[in-house]
């Protein structure tokens, strides 16, 4: 055992794994600080600004970015940050260099820009980012979606990345938005689903005329043709094969903006929930191997009651998430929409149907005049119960000029779930950042300072990102998990985590994707409130493993690295 200079304990583990114990713990008393406090660039060192390429013509891709991600690209145990930028396209030629940004975590609350060295600057009109270890080598890789050409960056293990898009076969054509890594066929390798937005090809990109001000405005996507999204199978040799042709995924023409991979029916296979803009949402249920070598996907958005609004109309779905919100062991869904459409809290009926509880939870009332993008179910105060954060902003930058109610820049919304299962809007008391207005888009959560409290990163259209430090969990205990699959996929996407603390048993499914254009810290933080230890912990590894690792009497306020089938040293 040794104490590092950064104040962490490193304990030896089987297979070279590491266990990090944060000192001191969060449970040192309450704080009067904001629940989520904005970290200014002068403190963080993050001075990158998103370039939305806004023009008088108002080309639609200008309005949709950017995404963002938390990832540990150099495997030092600290979350780094990736930010997606726009770039050259058939409608915009930048006069100065425009690039993505990769910021290395300095382990002291600051970050250093390492983009050029890492080789991830980008060369296209970027949209979103999905992080995953597709080659199971223990290092996170980066997939960047774009209007134009998507890019797969393979991690070289030395602080640099290689563009392997063409070799991998992932240069998705058209306009891609959100993407998610997940193992749909349970072969132990991460596959990739890529949302495709509208058909924006050809020379006519301005089909909606002038607005009330006599100026071009960002077209409602209704005027453009829908497209099919893509599913790529991981061949295990660094290449991928598109396997959506002939399936329900290819037949379901949509305008995909958000996607989350989850298991809605508890059958051990990961399903896909896709938010579509101005057409119905899709819920692709994974039925397993089908005839003629095709995988069997069943699109049940209509019959599951998540495709349309309650009055049968398609809405402008943008951000999504999935989690067991009510703690009944079944995955619930969330989707955000544009103003006057309200957001939806879909509660799982345990029979592949859902009911919308947004009205009951007060979400519908609060979001009537808002437009939502990035969002996340997460336990921000580590009391063991899921809460909710919403990032908002209207897509039309001129809406203030002809609407008395709807604004272009909108506030963030934070909801706390009490022990009674009710969501309560705590935005007004959450801190000064919740009194501000943003043109927010992507949202990612991750523990960048390793204190066990999940922090927040928000991508802002045409502006600097917003980094929020979490102070809300002070006084509550936690246990952080870094799961490493051996037989199953290395990132353990699809694992079920069951833990017992102070006599209460909780469970969580390790989903992937969600939010909008963004990728989260892949570690799991289990909040246990005032409990002094975790009595029992079970990791149900996903297929093809199906192994269950069990642990007992675990001390809190630390991160542990659990390798499938191996005990913690």
């Amino acid at each position: 055992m040794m104490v590092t200079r950064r104040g962490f304990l490193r304990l030896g583990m089987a297979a070279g794994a590491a266990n990090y114990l944060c000192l001191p713990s969060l449970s040192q008393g309450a704080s009067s600080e904001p629940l989520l406090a904005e970290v200014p660039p002068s403190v963080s060192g993050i001075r990158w600004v998103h370039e939305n390429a806004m023009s008088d013509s108002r080309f639609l891709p200008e309005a949709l970015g950017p995404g963002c991600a938390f990832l540990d690209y150099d495997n030092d145990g600290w979350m780094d940050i990736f930010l997606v930028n726009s770039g050259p396209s058939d409608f915009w030629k930048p006069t100065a260099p425009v690039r993505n940004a990769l910021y290395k975590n300095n382990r002291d609350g600051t970050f250093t820009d390492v983009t050029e060295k890492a080789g991830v600057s980008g060369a296209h009109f970027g949209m979103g980012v999905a992080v995953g270890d597709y080659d199971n080598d223990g290092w996170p890789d980066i997939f960047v979606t774009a209007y134009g050409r998507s890019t797969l960056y393979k991690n070289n293990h030395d602080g640099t990345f290689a563009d392997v898009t063409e070799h991998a076969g992932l240069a998705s054509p058209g306009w891609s938005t959100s993407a998610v890594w997940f193992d749909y066929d349970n072969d132990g390798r991460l596959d990739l689903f890529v949302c495709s937005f509208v058909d924006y090809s050809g020379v006519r990109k301005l089909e909606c005329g002038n607005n009330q001000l006599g100026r071009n405005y960002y077209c409602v996507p209704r005027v453009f043709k829908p497209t099919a999204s893509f599913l790529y199978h991981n061949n295990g040799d660094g290449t991928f094969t598109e396997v959506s042709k002939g399936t329900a995924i290819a037949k379901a023409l949509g305008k995909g903006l958000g996607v989350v991979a989850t298991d809605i029916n508890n059958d051990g296979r990961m399903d896909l929930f896709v938010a579509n803009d101005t057409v119905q949402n899709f819920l692709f249920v994974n039925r397993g191997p089908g005839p003629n070598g095709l995988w069997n996907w069943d699109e049940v958005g209509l019959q599951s009651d998540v495709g349309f609004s309650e009055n049968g109309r398609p809405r402008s779905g943008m951000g999504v998430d999935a989690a067991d919100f009510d703690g009944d062991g079944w995955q619930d869904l969330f989707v955000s929409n544009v103003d006057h459409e309200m957001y939806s809290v879909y509660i799982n009926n345990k029979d592949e149907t859902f009911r919308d509880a947004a009205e009951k939870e007060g979400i519908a009332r609060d979001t009537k005049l808002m437009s939502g993008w990035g969002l996340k179910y997460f336990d921000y105060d580590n009391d063991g119960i899921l809460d909710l954060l919403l990032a908002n902003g209207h897509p039309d930058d001129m809406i203030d000029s002809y609407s008395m109610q709807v604004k272009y820049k909108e506030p963030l919304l934070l909801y706390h779930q009490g022990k009674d299962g009710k969501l309560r809007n705590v935005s007004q008391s959450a801190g000064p950042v919740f009194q501000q207005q943003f043109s927010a888009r992507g949202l990612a959560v991750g523990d960048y300072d390793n204190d066990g409290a999940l922090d927040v990163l928000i991508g802002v259209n045409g502006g600097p990102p917003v980094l929020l430090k979490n102070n809300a969990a002070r006084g509550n205990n936690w246990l952080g998990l870094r799961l490493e699959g051996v037989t199953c996929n290395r990132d353990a996407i699809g694992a079920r985590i069951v833990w017992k603390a102070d006599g209460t048993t909780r469970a969580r499914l390790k989903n992937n994707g969600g939010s909008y254009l963004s990728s989260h810290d892949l570690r799991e933080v289990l909040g246990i409130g005032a409990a002094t230890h975790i009595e029992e912990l079970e990791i149900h590894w996903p297929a093809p493993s199906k192994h269950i690792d069990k642990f007992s009497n675990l001390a809190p306020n630390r991160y542990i690295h659990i390798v499938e089938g191996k005990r913690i040293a």
Side-chain angles (χ1 to χ4, degrees):
M1 177 185 296
M2 69 176 180
V3 179
T4 70
R5 290 190 303 168
R6 297 294 180 178
F8 281 75
L9 289 181
R10 181 181 175 94
L11 291 83
M13 288 185 59
N19 181 1
Y20 294 94
L21 172 58
C22 184
L23 297 175
S25 78
L26 263 177
S27 56
Q28 293 186 341
S31 170
S32 59
E33 296 177 291
L35 300 183
L36 296 174
E38 185 174 4
V39 182
S42 60
V43 174
S44 69
I46 301 174
R47 302 186 181 278
W48 177 92
V49 176
H50 178 249
E51 170 60 72
N52 61 5
M54 183 183 290
S55 65
D56 290 340
S57 297
R58 295 301 195 274
F59 295 107
L60 188 55
E62 301 169 3
L64 266 62
C68 56
F70 281 110
L71 75 161
D72 182 8
Y73 84 97
D74 53 359
N75 272 352
D76 67 350
W78 295 76
M79 284 295 116
D80 311 298
I81 284 175
F82 187 82
L83 302 161
V84 182
N85 214 340
S86 60
S89 70
D90 59 0
F91 62 82
W92 186 57
K93 307 299 178 187
T95 57
V98 176
R99 63 178 178 84
N100 304 323
L102 176 63
Y103 279 93
K104 175 178 171 55
N105 191 326
N106 298 325
R107 313 183 192 182
D108 59 3
T110 69
F111 295 82
T112 297
D113 190 333
V114 295
T115 313
E116 298 296 338
K117 176 184 176 182
V120 293
S121 295
H124 305 278
F125 204 99
M127 286 283 136
V129 54
V131 176
D133 183 5
Y134 77 88
D135 50 4
N136 284 339
D137 65 355
W139 296 77
D141 309 296
I142 301 173
F143 183 75
V144 180
T145 62
Y147 168 70
R149 174 186 180 273
S150 298
T151 305
L152 177 62
Y153 291 110
K154 174 177 166 52
N155 196 318
N156 292 328
H157 311 175
D158 60 0
T160 70
F161 291 79
D163 182 346
V164 296
T165 315
E166 295 298 333
H167 172 73
L170 290 179
S172 302
W175 183 353
S176 57
T177 53
S178 294
V180 61
W181 295 101
F182 75 121
D183 184 8
Y184 77 85
D185 57 350
N186 288 336
D187 66 353
R189 298 187 294 266
L190 290 179
D191 309 300
L192 182 66
F193 180 87
V194 182
C195 286
S196 179
F197 196 45
V198 300
D199 182 352
Y200 207 64
S201 61
V203 295
R204 287 206 65 193
K205 302 182 187 299
L206 307 170
E207 301 183 8
C208 45
N210 299 329
N211 61 14
Q212 298 176 29
L213 304 177
R215 297 162 58 186
N216 289 326
Y217 66 102
Y218 292 120
C219 302
V220 175
R222 189 176 296 110
V223 304
F224 299 112
K225 294 179 180 179
T227 59
S229 294
F230 301 94
L231 177 65
Y232 294 97
H233 178 258
N234 189 332
N235 298 323
D237 59 0
T239 69
F240 292 78
T241 300
E242 186 193 341
V243 291
S244 41
K245 289 186 175 69
T247 72
I249 292 176
K251 296 174 184 176
L253 300 182
K255 302 175 183 181
L257 287 179
V259 60
V260 63
T262 187
D263 182 1
I264 63 120
N265 52 11
N266 288 342
D267 65 354
R269 290 188 290 262
M270 298 295 278
D271 311 302
L272 293 165
F273 180 49
V274 179
N276 284 305
D277 197 342
T278 68
V279 298
Q280 77 162 83
N281 298 324
F282 298 144
L283 181 56
F284 295 110
V285 176
N286 186 341
R287 303 297 188 194
N292 304 320
L294 297 177
W295 205 259
N296 190 5
W297 293 94
D298 193 5
E299 201 292 291
V300 300
L302 175 61
Q303 53 265 46
S304 67
D305 288 328
V306 300
F308 297 91
S309 68
E310 290 186 343
N311 59 7
R313 296 180 180 178
R315 292 185 285 186
S316 300
M318 296 181 287
V320 296
D321 200 19
D324 182 7
F325 168 69
D326 54 4
D328 66 353
W330 296 75
Q331 292 290 295
D332 308 300
L333 305 174
F334 191 101
V335 61
S336 60
N337 300 295
V338 81
D339 64 282
H340 290 87
E341 292 182 348
M342 281 79 75
Y343 306 173
S344 288
V345 180
Y346 288 119
I347 303 301
N348 197 321
N349 292 326
K350 308 177 185 180
D351 59 0
E352 296 189 1
T353 69
F354 295 79
R355 62 188 184 279
D356 192 348
E359 194 75 43
K360 175 184 177 182
E361 296 292 345
I363 300 290
R365 178 190 65 249
D366 294 348
T367 61
K368 181 178 181 180
L369 300 177
M370 305 188 79
S371 300
W373 304 83
L375 56 97
K376 184 63 176 172
Y377 279 124
F378 73 116
D379 179 11
Y380 73 77
D381 58 352
N382 282 342
D383 65 353
I385 306 173
L386 288 177
D387 311 301
L388 176 66
L389 179 64
L390 305 174
N392 310 289
H394 200 276
D396 183 355
D397 65 303
M398 290 179 277
I399 190 69
D400 300 53
S401 300
Y402 48 86
S403 174
M404 298 295 293
Q405 297 178 308
V406 179
K407 303 300 180 184
Y408 174 57
K409 294 184 177 182
E410 299 175 347
L412 308 172
L413 292 177
L414 182 66
Y415 292 84
H416 182 263
Q417 184 179 182
K419 293 182 179 179
D420 59 359
K422 301 293 184 182
L423 281 174
R424 290 173 175 81
N425 189 340
V426 296
S427 307
Q428 290 301 311
S429 58
V433 72
F434 289 89
Q435 310 308 313
Q436 299 182 45
Q437 315 284 317
F438 302 98
S439 52
R441 296 297 186 264
L443 180 153
V445 301
D447 182 9
Y448 78 85
D449 51 3
N450 278 343
D451 64 356
L454 289 173
D455 309 299
V456 178
L457 179 66
I458 297 170
V460 175
N461 185 260
V466 178
L467 179 63
L468 302 179
K469 174 174 170 49
N470 185 340
N471 301 309
R474 296 186 187 276
N476 284 333
N477 296 319
W478 56 277
L479 182 68
L481 307 179
R482 179 187 165 204
L483 302 183
E484 180 181 327
V486 177
T487 306
C488 68
N489 67 87
R490 185 84 175 228
D491 290 340
I493 305 303
R496 292 185 182 272
I497 304 165
V498 182
W499 72 100
K500 182 179 180 182
D502 202 20
T504 299
T505 300
R506 303 186 190 279
R508 180 180 301 172
L509 175 67
K510 188 173 175 60
N511 296 323
N512 204 20
S515 190
Y516 171 74
L517 303 182
S518 301
S519 195
H520 311 290
D521 186 341
L522 283 172
R523 299 174 298 181
E524 297 287 336
V525 177
L526 312 180
I528 60 173
T532 58
H533 66 287
I534 287 187
E535 299 158 29
E536 299 173 4
L537 172 66
E538 293 183 0
I539 310 299
H540 297 241
W541 300 92
S545 171
K546 296 186 179 180
H547 184 78
I548 301 176
D549 280 321
K550 298 181 180 182
F551 309 93
S552 60
N553 198 29
L554 295 173
N557 303 325
R558 56 179 178 149
Y559 279 98
I560 60 176
H561 182 173
I562 301 178
V563 180
E564 177 192 340
K566 295 181 171 63
R567 305 293 297 179
I568 300 174

